[in-house]
Amino acid sequence: MNHWPFIIAAYALTGLGTLGVFVWSYLEMRRAEQAVSKLERSR
Amino acid sequence: MHAYANPARFLKIARPLTPICLVVGILLILIGSYAGLALTPPDYLQGDSVRILYIHVPAAWLGMGGWTGIAIASIVQLVWRHPLAGVAARAIAVPGALFTAICLVTGSIWGRPTWGTWWEWDGRMTSMLVLLFLYFGYIGLANASDDRTSVSRATAIFGIVGAVNIPIINRSVVWWNSLHQGPSITLRGSTISSEILWPLAPTVIGFSLFFGGIVLMRMRANLAQAKVEARMRRLAAA
């Protein structure tokens, strides 16, 4: 049995998952910190 | 510990630490993965499928380590009322669940060419699946509260009680018959050949730093959102 399709699938799914959580966390952090900066500027 | 109880002091450290964790972490993951895919020989028994080791083991470590972090943060919140403990526990839950899911999926993919099956209801796999469900329960409980700077007492207790599953996962391959191999890396050494084992160090350290970077980003987001919500409440009350 050729193992490489299994290896590629495992690495691809891991890559997608880690990229997804990175983008989600980064956007959430940026949005929240921008809202704080906006709030501090409006004081 | 209480020296860093002040969110402003924590943020002063977290802001420069976040990109360092992420950049160094991603570099180490790439180096370890390249070495694991291209430089190491296939295993004499498992063949090329052994290369899944370099992502499966860090994912398992972070799934279990994440819940251990939640349990410690929950104790710190309940006993010392540290203001950042709840923020940290909340921030760990989603990446912890993700890496537990990655561990289960990569293990299943590894199992098909190695054992001839995608899944087996044995001690290791079942207890890891229970950990994923515990994460889902924890995320649901934590999100039931609007307060982003802490978790409820019930959520913290759930985090502590759920930690009972961690030693069960760890010892499952010793306590019960399993298709999963026994403990191959212990404090006494490793049964894996060093030729195959070495790329695991950069991927474990890299994924751990990446996990740390994600937790810091989520903590910063929660603290910022809490600040905005507090300001809105003050404005509404005025």
Side-chain angles (χ1 to χ4, degrees):
Chain A
M1 184 190 278
N2 180 9
H3 291 180
W4 280 99
F6 295 94
I7 298 165
I8 292 164
Y11 275 79
L13 286 171
T14 304
L16 278 176
T18 49
L19 184 71
V21 81
F22 170 78
V23 171
W24 175 22
S25 305
Y26 174 75
L27 290 178
E28 207 171 59
M29 178 191 75
R30 203 179 64 165
R31 206 174 298 136
E33 291 188 342
Q34 275 175 349
V36 171
S37 313
K38 209 168 134 187
L39 208 70
E40 279 167 358
R41 275 199 306 271
S42 69
R43 265 184 183 177
Chain B
M1 189 167 64
H2 280 276
Y4 301 103
N6 180 342
R9 192 173 292 171
F10 164 77
L11 287 172
K12 213 172 160 184
I13 298 164
R15 282 197 187 108
L17 201 59
T18 309
I20 294 172
C21 282
L22 290 169
V23 171
V24 177
I26 290 168
L27 273 176
L28 285 172
I29 292 168
L30 292 175
I31 291 167
S33 299
Y34 171 73
L37 289 171
L39 303 181
T40 58
D43 182 63
Y44 79 102
L45 199 60
Q46 298 185 24
D48 280 314
S49 71
V50 77
R51 299 181 198 283
I52 296 173
L53 169 89
Y54 309 111
I55 47 173
H56 176 73
V57 172
W61 147 249
L62 289 170
M64 292 162 67
W67 195 278
T68 308
I70 287 176
I72 292 168
S74 301
I75 293 169
V76 171
Q77 181 183 327
L78 289 177
V79 178
W80 290 287
R81 308 219 177 265
H82 195 289
L84 290 176
V87 183
R90 251 176 199 275
I92 292 169
V94 167
L98 171 78
F99 279 101
T100 305
I102 288 174
C103 170
L104 285 165
V105 171
T106 55
S108 176
I109 293 171
W110 193 354
R112 183 66 187 87
T114 311
W115 305 327
T117 179
W118 296 100
W119 185 262
E120 186 70 34
W121 290 101
D122 71 356
R124 173 58 63 90
M125 283 168 259
T126 309
S127 55
M128 206 64 195
L129 184 64
V130 168
L131 180 65
L132 182 64
F133 293 148
L134 285 172
Y135 270 115
F136 290 159
Y138 186 90
I139 292 166
L141 273 174
N143 286 345
S145 155
D146 287 336
D147 184 2
R148 293 175 178 279
T149 56
S150 72
V151 290
S152 68
R153 180 177 282 262
T155 313
I157 292 170
F158 182 76
I160 297 165
V161 173
V164 169
N165 193 38
I166 301 300
I168 295 175
I169 297 170
N170 184 263
R171 303 309 294 165
S172 57
V173 286
V174 178
W175 291 341
W176 298 293
N177 282 327
S178 173
L179 276 178
H180 196 283
Q181 66 200 59
S184 38
I185 303 167
T186 63
L187 291 174
R188 281 189 292 264
S190 168
T191 55
I192 305 171
S193 155
S194 57
E195 250 186 322
I196 289 177
L197 188 66
W198 73 268
L200 189 59
T203 56
V204 167
I205 298 168
F207 274 109
S208 302
L209 286 171
F210 178 80
F211 188 93
I214 296 291
V215 170
L216 286 174
M217 285 202 289
R218 300 185 76 84
M219 286 179 77
R220 285 171 58 180
N222 280 336
L223 286 170
Q225 281 164 355
K227 199 171 178 179
V228 172
E229 282 162 14
R231 173 88 172 141
M232 293 302 176
R233 273 198 298 273
R234 275 201 301 275
L235 283 173

